[in-house]
Amino acid sequence: MNDKNEGLNERLAHRKRIQRMKTGLILFIVTWMLAWMLISVALIAKVNSLQDQIDIITKNTIRSQQVEQQENQVEKSGSISQADGKEKSEEEKSGEEKSEEEKSGETKSDQVKSEGTGRDSLGYVRMSADHVDKKDEAGSAGAQTAHTDEKAQKADVKDVDEENLKNEADHADNTKENEAVKKVYLTFDDGPSKNTEQILDILDQYQIKATFFVTGRQDKESIERYRMIAQRGHTIGMHSYSHKYDEIYHSTEAFEQDLDQIQKLLKDKAGIKCMLYRFPGGSSNQVSSMDMTEFIRILNQRGITYFDWNVECGDASYVQYSAKEMVANVMKDVVKYHTSVVLMHDAENKQNTIKALPKIIKQLQKMDAQLLPIDENTQVVQHVSAESVKD
C-alpha cells in the first residue's frame, strides 16, 4: 500500500515539475515577445523621428534654393535693365545723329532750291548788282546766325543727355556694388545665459552688432542681461517665454498667452516694445500639434515680424560639432545667399559656439560681408512665408 502511495506521489511531483517547466517556458516566450515588441516600437519611433528630421532638412534646402533662385532672378533682371538702359541711350544718340543729318540735308536742299529760284528770277526781274550783293550778304548772315543758334541748342541738349547718362551709369554701378555685398545677420537663440556677456564682449571686440532671440527669465542676472544686450546696440527678438513646445503649441490661446508674457517682460524689465519673433523650432517645425499657420496668423494680425534662418553653425544638432566644424558649416552656406541669417545659440552648454564665434566673424569680414543686426529694413527669411497665410 505504501509502495502505491509513493508511486502516486512521485507521479504527482513529476507532473508538477512538468507544469512548472511549461509555465516557465510560456513566461519566457511571452517576456521575449514583449521585449521584442518594445524594441520594435522604439526603433519605429526612432525611424519616424529621423524621417521627420530629414523632411525638415529637405524642406529647408528646397526653400533655400528657392530664395537663391529669386535672388539670382533679381540680379539678372537688374543686369538686363542696365543693358536696356545702355542700349536705349545708344539708340537715342544715334537718333539724334540721324536727325542732325536729316536737318543738314534739308538745309542743303533748301539752299540749292533758293539758288535755282534766284537764277530764274534774274531772267525775269532786273536788279542792280549792288542790291543783289547786299541781299545775299544779309541772307547769309541770317542763315549763319540761325545755324549757330541751332548748334548751341543741340550742344546744350547733348550736355544734358551726357550728364543724365553719367548719373544713370553711376547709379547702376552703385546698385551693382550693393548687390555684390553680402549681408550676414548673426542671431543667437535661447538666451540670456552665462555665456551672454562673453558673446557681447566678442561682438564689441570686432565692432559688430547682432540679434538675440531671448526667452523668459525673471532672475536678477537675466534681467540685467536683457538690458545689457539693448544698451550695447543689439537687436532683441522674442523666442517665446517658456520655450516648451508642448505648452506653446498646444492651442492658439496658449500661444498668445506665452507671447503676451515674453512681450510684457521685455517691456517692463528692459523698456523694449518688441515686434520681432522667432518660433521655437522655426515656422516649419514638425513638433507642433497644430498647423503652424494658425500661429503665423496671430503674429500677422499683431504686426509682429518673424524670422527663421537659412544658415546654421550646427550647435543645435545631434552631432557634436567642433568649433572648427561650426566655422566651416557657416562659411559653406553664406556664399550661397545675398542675405544670410545665421542660427546660433546663447546657452551655458554651448562652449564651442563661443570658441567658433571670433573665427566666424574674421572669416566673414575677410570676404567683405556686412555683419548687421536685424531691423525693419532686413529682407525676411521665413521657411513658411507670412504672406502665404491669409487672415
Side-chain angles (χ1 to χ4, degrees), residues 18-36:
I18 292 173
Q19 188 65 34
R20 282 197 298 269
M21 290 175 63
K22 287 181 179 179
T23 304
L25 183 60
I26 291 170
L27 287 173
F28 173 77
I29 293 171
V30 170
T31 304
W32 182 80
M33 292 177 66
L34 286 172
W36 272 107

Side-chain angles (χ1 to χ4, degrees), residues 33-130:
M33 292 177 66
L34 286 172
W36 272 107
M37 286 176 65
L38 290 172
I39 293 171
S40 299
V41 170
L43 288 172
I44 291 170
K46 185 66 177 177
V47 169
N48 289 335
S49 176
L50 290 173
Q51 184 61 48
D52 290 341
Q53 292 176 27
I54 292 169
D55 291 340
I56 292 172
I57 293 170
T58 303
K59 287 180 180 179
N60 291 345
T61 303
I62 292 171
R63 291 190 185 95
S64 298
Q65 289 174 351
Q66 290 174 346
V67 171
E68 184 179 1
Q69 289 175 356
Q70 290 174 356
E71 290 176 352
N72 291 336
Q73 289 175 356
V74 170
E75 292 177 359
K76 287 180 180 178
S77 62
S79 301
I80 292 171
S81 61
Q82 291 174 16
D84 290 342
K86 290 181 180 178
E87 289 178 0
K88 188 175 180 181
S89 300
E90 292 175 358
E91 289 176 358
E92 288 177 354
K93 282 186 177 179
S94 62
E96 288 178 0
E97 291 174 356
K98 287 181 181 179
S99 177
E100 289 178 2
E101 290 176 358
E102 289 175 358
K103 286 182 180 178
S104 176
E106 289 176 359
T107 303
K108 288 180 180 178
S109 177
D110 290 342
Q111 288 176 352
V112 172
K113 185 176 179 181
S114 52
E115 286 176 1
T117 305
R119 284 194 294 268
D120 292 340
S121 298
L122 285 174
Y124 180 71
V125 181
R126 297 282 182 178
M127 300 177 69
S128 66
D130 294 337

Side-chain angles (χ1 to χ4, degrees), residues 236 238 263 266-268 270-276 302:
I236 292 183
M238 300 173 285
Q263 199 168 37
L266 294 175
K267 182 74 168 71
D268 294 345
I272 301 168
K273 184 181 179 182
C274 194
M275 301 297 287
L276 187 65
R302 293 193 180 198

Side-chain angles (χ1 to χ4, degrees), residues 251-252 255-256 279 290-301 389:
S251 65
T252 54
F255 179 81
E256 287 193 274
F279 289 103
M290 294 184 62
D291 191 330
M292 287 300 295
T293 58
E294 297 296 325
F295 308 119
I296 293 172
R297 187 173 290 109
I298 291 171
L299 296 186
N300 287 348
Q301 291 170 351
V389 180

Side-chain angles (χ1 to χ4, degrees), residues 197-209 232 234 354-355 357-359 361-362 365:
E197 293 180 43
Q198 283 184 272
I199 294 172
L200 291 173
D201 290 342
I202 293 170
L203 296 174
D204 285 348
Q205 180 184 347
Y206 292 93
Q207 298 181 346
I208 65 170
K209 306 301 179 186
R232 296 204 192 181
H234 303 283
I354 300 296
K355 295 176 183 177
L357 182 57
K359 299 174 183 177
I361 294 172
K362 287 179 183 178
Q365 290 180 335

